[in-house]
Amino acid sequence: MLNEVISSTRAYNFHSHTQFCDGRAPMARFVEEAVKDGYIHYGFTPHSPIPFESPCNMKNENVEDYIAEYKRLKEEYAGRINLYLSMEIDYLGKDWGATNEYFDSIPLDYRLSSVHFIPALTDGQLIDIDGRPESFMRKMEESFDNDIRYVVDTFYDHTLEMIKAGGFDIIGHFDKIGFNASHFKAGIENEAWYQQHIDDVIEALKSTNIIVEVNTKAWEIPANATVEQAATYIPRLFPGKETIGKLIAAGLPLVVNSDTHYPDRISSGRQAAFDIIDSLS
């Protein structure tokens, strides 16, 4: 279904977050905005339940409510937009990911899978290394002994494990660690060992049917950025232009998603991403 959609139209968005995880509005508001922006296909991807407490992830006890609201909206908007039930499934290691039987019990239309957590150097506890740079810097000191090489290597090792395990349709923002890693050490993404990780992921994806996400969430200044943060903000995609070129050269299918958490940002950065893709194709 996904390949057919993305090869026939750009009026889609298959990555979004609502009130059921860390999104900032109810599902209905996102659908209203999607219809207004002319989307034909729109997918909901709350951060999946995981086997420990996380403020960003959906709680298991809310899954039925999520499904019920999806069904209600699907019926209400029938004929105006195609809605899809999905989740952004966290890969936590061999014991938790898209292949876990838990997800077989949920009628998902497709599965998006991402890495957000890696084990701390201090005690092995899984730590969310996504989020704001200031939070990441604190975690680097408290949980990772300021060992950025360990954090980046482990992130990509888990990404390769996730790809090998399979069970999902879209890989989400596979170089997202570069954002925070670059705040910790400027220029790190240009170092040979870091680029080797990118090449290894692309090579691993070649033997799969996984669609690679170009994530546009960070193209525009964050909605709640301070004046200081806004003044120094640098727009970026995940992955960036150079890596998009490598993905196209490798013949891998791409999907452009905004990973939106705010209804008015559904289309943020998507045209810029398509322009880059077109210029490289």
Side-chain angles (χ1 to χ4, degrees):
M1 176 275 293
L2 289 174
N3 279 304
E4 183 179 340
V5 168
I6 64 177
S7 64
S8 63
T9 182
R10 290 180 170 180
Y12 65 77
N13 203 334
F14 289 113
H15 191 166
S16 67
H17 299 279
T18 67
Q19 81 272 29
F20 285 104
C21 57
D22 60 348
R24 301 308 177 93
M27 289 170 66
R29 279 285 298 112
F30 287 87
V31 180
E32 289 171 12
E33 199 69 26
V35 170
K36 189 175 98 175
D37 279 12
Y39 287 98
I40 301 172
H41 305 275
Y42 192 81
F44 297 105
T45 53
H47 290 288
S48 71
I50 54 177
F52 54 86
E53 281 297 314
S54 165
C56 293
N57 289 74
M58 183 183 210
K59 296 184 184 303
N60 179 56
E61 57 264 32
N62 292 332
V63 171
E64 288 304 317
D65 288 341
Y66 164 53
I67 295 172
E69 179 63 356
Y70 160 75
K71 289 180 177 177
R72 185 188 74 78
L73 290 167
K74 186 177 176 68
E75 182 176 348
E76 179 181 343
Y77 284 87
R80 286 190 280 171
I81 189 170
N82 299 302
L83 299 178
Y84 301 88
L85 184 82
S86 183
M87 288 183 179
E88 182 174 13
I89 301 173
D90 271 296
Y91 181 79
L92 303 178
K94 61 184 177 62
D95 294 327
W96 192 265
T99 58
N100 191 288
E101 61 183 11
Y102 169 80
F103 297 103
D104 294 334
S105 67
I106 305 170
L108 301 175
D109 293 312
Y110 64 92
R111 300 181 186 191
L112 189 156
S113 193
S114 306
V115 174
H116 297 98
F117 295 84
I118 65 169
L121 268 174
T122 50
D123 58 8
Q125 178 183 350
L126 287 169
I127 302 296
D128 185 353
I129 43 79
D130 203 4
R132 296 295 184 118
E134 53 268 26
S135 172
F136 180 77
M137 297 297 222
R138 186 181 68 252
K139 291 172 183 177
M140 282 298 300
E141 182 174 355
E142 295 174 353
S143 300
F144 300 113
D145 293 335
N146 285 321
D147 188 342
I148 192 62
R149 184 68 184 256
Y150 166 81
V151 171
V152 172
D153 286 348
T154 305
F155 176 89
Y156 282 110
D157 286 348
H158 279 213
T159 299
L160 291 174
E161 289 174 12
M162 179 176 72
I163 293 168
K164 184 176 180 180
F168 61 97
D169 305 285
I170 300 173
I171 183 169
H173 49 57
F174 81 80
D175 71 336
K176 187 73 183 292
I177 187 60
F179 178 72
N180 278 330
S182 293
H183 278 83
F184 185 86
K185 183 184 180 186
I188 193 171
E189 292 176 274
N190 297 320
E191 295 181 14
W193 66 272
Y194 187 101
Q195 282 299 309
Q196 187 61 54
H197 279 306
I198 297 291
D199 293 342
D200 289 346
V201 170
I202 293 173
E203 189 61 34
L205 287 165
K206 285 182 184 178
S207 59
T208 73
N209 294 315
I210 296 168
I211 301 169
V212 183
E213 176 183 78
V214 176
N215 187 298
T216 69
K217 177 185 176 183
W219 187 255
E220 294 183 3
I221 297 169
N224 54 354
T226 65
V227 173
E228 216 170 54
Q229 290 167 336
T232 58
Y233 193 77
I234 300 173
R236 65 172 294 165
L237 302 172
F238 302 106
K241 183 175 181 178
E242 182 179 340
T243 302
I244 290 173
K246 290 182 178 182
L247 291 164
I248 292 171
L252 294 170
L254 304 180
V255 60
V256 176
N257 292 323
S258 65
D259 189 2
T260 183
H261 290 60
Y262 297 84
D264 61 352
R265 293 190 164 225
I266 280 179
S267 299
S268 176
R270 294 185 79 252
Q271 189 56 54
F274 282 124
D275 289 346
I276 288 172
I277 290 169
D278 288 344
S279 73
L280 297 171
S281 298

